[in-house]
């Protein structure tokens, strides 16, 4: 029996699709242009928040994944719902800030903080980058930190769980393509083969991967996948409309995949073409046994259509 802990972090996809289509983004694997959104509904969010509140109420929550979260017309209501259900959880919002260009940035970010967000990661890109940074530094009553200037030199990460002791703050991220690899946490990977600018690995890496052991991600329709790099849903685990997320976390298919990865075997799809590093503290992962024929069978399961797809028409 392994000692798998509850997830350290939870990623929630409020929107699949983005107002941009950056050349290095994994979104290129499922989109040919910006927009074309699929939104998480309040109904799905309520089910998810209720399940997570019972399972991991103090994890680190990030609203991001495969799209621009603030494009969901109900994003503030959904965040408020999560805050109500999870009062002790750290919650961060990652946005490209495009919505702040034409709107009053002061009002928009204050709405997010009022809804329950602790801090906002403002991921700026050219050509909006300079406008957004100028607007951010003019905000009143809100702390603004530059990741590269203020956080990186003192080894402070926005992806750490501060248990709500770090709040009312905007963290400015500079254009990733322009500053690729200046920080390990700001490195362009191939997103399991979905980034057209980064090559697929020719042979699967002989490395562990900590993501499926420490993080759970839920896409817009309630589906849980192997990890956030699985843009195409090539390794779905289960859907929260069919199964409680606590049971999904220990799902036999996920445990089979973890067995492969703990044994440094990335022959799974999409892991076999992914170039991501092992992750932090890989040596502290729970110990799984040898890969069995049953593990191999579970990891070759074909993708099934989600039982329920609650789209924006239900708003």
């Amino acid at each position: 029996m392994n000692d798998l802990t509850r997830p350290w972090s939870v990623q929630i996809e409020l929107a699949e699709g983005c107002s941009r289509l950056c050349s290095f983004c994994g979104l290129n694997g499922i989109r040919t242009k910006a927009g074309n959104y699929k939104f998480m509904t309040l109904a799905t969010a309520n089910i998810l928040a209720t399940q997570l509140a019972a399972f991991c109420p103090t994890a680190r929550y990030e609203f991001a994944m495969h799209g621009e979260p603030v494009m969901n017309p109900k994003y503030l209501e959904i965040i408020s719902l999560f805050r109500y259900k999870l009062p002790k959880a750290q919650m961060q919002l990652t946005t490209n800030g495009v919505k702040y260009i034409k709107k009053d940035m002061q009002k928009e970010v204050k709405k997010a903080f009022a809804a329950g967000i602790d801090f906002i990661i403002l991921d700026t890109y050219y050509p909006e980058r300079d406008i957004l940074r100028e607007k951010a530094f003019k905000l009143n009553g809100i702390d603004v930190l530059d990741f590269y200037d203020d956080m990186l030199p003192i080894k402070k990460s926005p992806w750490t769980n501060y248990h709500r002791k770090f709040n009312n703050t905007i963290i400015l991220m500079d254009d990733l393509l322009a500053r690729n690899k200046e920080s390990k946490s700001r490195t362009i990977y191939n997103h399991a083969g979905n980034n057209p600018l980064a090559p697929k690995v020719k042979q699967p890496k002989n490395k562990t991967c900590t993501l499926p052991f420490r993080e759970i991600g839920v896409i817009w329709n309630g589906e849980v996948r192997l990890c956030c790099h699985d843009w195409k849903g090539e390794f779905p685990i289960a859907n929260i409309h069919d199964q409680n997320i606590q049971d999904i976390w220990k799902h036999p298919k996920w445990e089979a995949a973890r067995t492969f990865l703990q044994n440094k075997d990335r022959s799974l799809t999409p892991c076999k073409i992914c170039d991501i590093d092992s992750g932090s503290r890989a040596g502290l992962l729970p110990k799984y046994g040898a890969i069995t024929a049953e593990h191999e069978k579970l990891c070759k399961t074909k993708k099934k259509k989600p039982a329920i797809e609650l789209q924006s028409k239900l708003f």
Side-chain angles (χ1 to χ4, degrees):
M1 186 70 179
N2 63 70
D3 56 348
L4 180 69
T5 63
R6 297 180 183 188
W8 293 6
S9 62
V10 180
Q11 286 208 49
I12 299 165
E13 181 182 276
L14 299 186
E16 181 192 282
C18 188
S19 49
R20 300 177 54 97
L21 188 61
C22 297
S23 58
F24 56 85
C25 182
L27 193 61
N28 288 279
I30 56 175
R31 291 287 189 280
T32 57
K33 60 181 181 179
N36 190 23
Y37 299 104
K38 295 179 180 178
F39 298 129
M40 179 175 283
T41 65
L42 284 168
T44 295
N46 185 54
I47 293 169
L48 177 58
T50 301
Q51 293 182 7
L52 288 168
F55 180 39
C56 48
T58 58
R60 178 184 69 85
Y61 286 75
E62 182 172 7
F63 297 96
M65 289 192 77
H66 307 134
E68 174 51 55
V70 304
M71 298 310 292
N72 186 320
K74 299 287 185 181
Y75 87 98
L76 289 172
E77 291 163 78
I78 291 175
I79 290 170
S80 295
L81 189 156
F82 271 88
R83 175 53 70 207
Y84 175 74
K85 300 269 186 178
L86 296 142
K88 296 181 179 180
Q90 174 179 296
M91 294 186 186
Q92 59 199 81
L93 174 69
T94 299
T95 175
N96 61 31
V98 171
K99 196 170 183 178
Y100 302 152
I101 295 291
K102 294 182 179 180
K103 293 201 172 188
D104 187 323
M105 191 175 186
Q106 180 85 30
K107 290 182 179 178
E108 292 300 311
V109 298
K110 284 207 166 186
K111 286 178 186 177
F113 291 139
I117 290 296
D118 291 305
F119 57 91
I120 296 171
I121 296 178
L122 186 53
D123 222 349
T124 64
Y125 301 96
Y126 292 99
E128 304 93 1
R129 178 237 188 224
D130 294 338
I131 297 173
L132 286 169
R133 293 176 70 85
E134 183 180 356
K135 293 183 77 168
F137 283 117
K138 289 181 179 179
L139 295 173
N140 296 316
I142 296 168
D143 294 327
V144 178
L145 298 176
D146 184 288
F147 171 73
Y148 293 94
D149 294 341
D150 302 320
M151 300 185 77
L152 194 57
I154 60 173
K155 297 181 179 180
K156 188 172 184 179
S157 170
W159 298 285
T160 296
N161 193 340
Y162 296 100
H163 301 284
R164 304 212 68 193
K165 294 178 182 178
F166 181 41
N167 50 49
N168 198 46
T169 300
I170 287 180
I171 301 169
L172 289 173
M173 291 290 178
D174 208 345
D175 191 298
L176 180 57
L177 187 60
R179 308 191 68 167
N180 182 31
K181 297 183 180 180
E182 286 189 31
S183 162
K184 192 172 183 179
S185 61
R186 296 290 288 169
T187 296
I188 297 174
Y189 290 103
N190 72 11
H191 294 298
N194 292 294
N195 171 7
L197 292 190
K200 300 174 183 177
V201 295
K202 294 181 179 179
Q203 294 292 331
K205 280 193 170 186
N206 184 31
K207 286 187 175 184
T208 56
C209 179
T210 61
L211 281 174
F213 295 86
R214 293 175 178 161
E215 181 176 278
I216 193 165
V218 186
I219 70 166
W220 65 276
N221 64 6
E223 183 179 274
V224 177
R225 297 172 179 171
L226 177 61
C227 84
C228 59
H229 290 272
D230 186 9
W231 289 72
K232 293 179 181 176
E234 295 177 287
F235 201 112
I237 307 297
N239 194 294
I240 63 161
H241 293 288
D242 304 321
Q243 194 171 358
N244 189 285
I245 202 161
Q246 187 166 353
D247 296 325
I248 294 174
W249 183 240
K250 290 289 188 78
H251 194 286
K253 189 176 177 182
W254 215 343
E255 287 287 80
R258 292 185 183 112
T259 303
F260 272 82
L261 295 171
Q262 209 277 327
N263 280 278
K264 299 183 179 181
D265 185 334
R266 294 197 184 186
S267 60
L268 315 170
T269 299
C271 307
K272 61 187 179 183
I273 58 174
C274 187
D275 66 345
I276 194 168
D277 293 328
S278 295
S280 64
R281 302 181 185 178
L284 299 179
L285 293 179
K287 303 303 178 185
Y288 284 67
I291 299 168
T292 67
E294 181 61 22
H295 293 140
E296 292 178 348
K297 181 180 178 181
L298 285 166
C299 289
K300 290 181 180 179
T301 302
K302 292 182 179 179
K303 181 179 178 181
K304 297 179 180 179
K305 291 183 179 180
I308 298 177
E309 289 195 357
L310 295 173
Q311 299 194 36
S312 57
K313 64 183 180 181
L314 294 184
F315 279 116

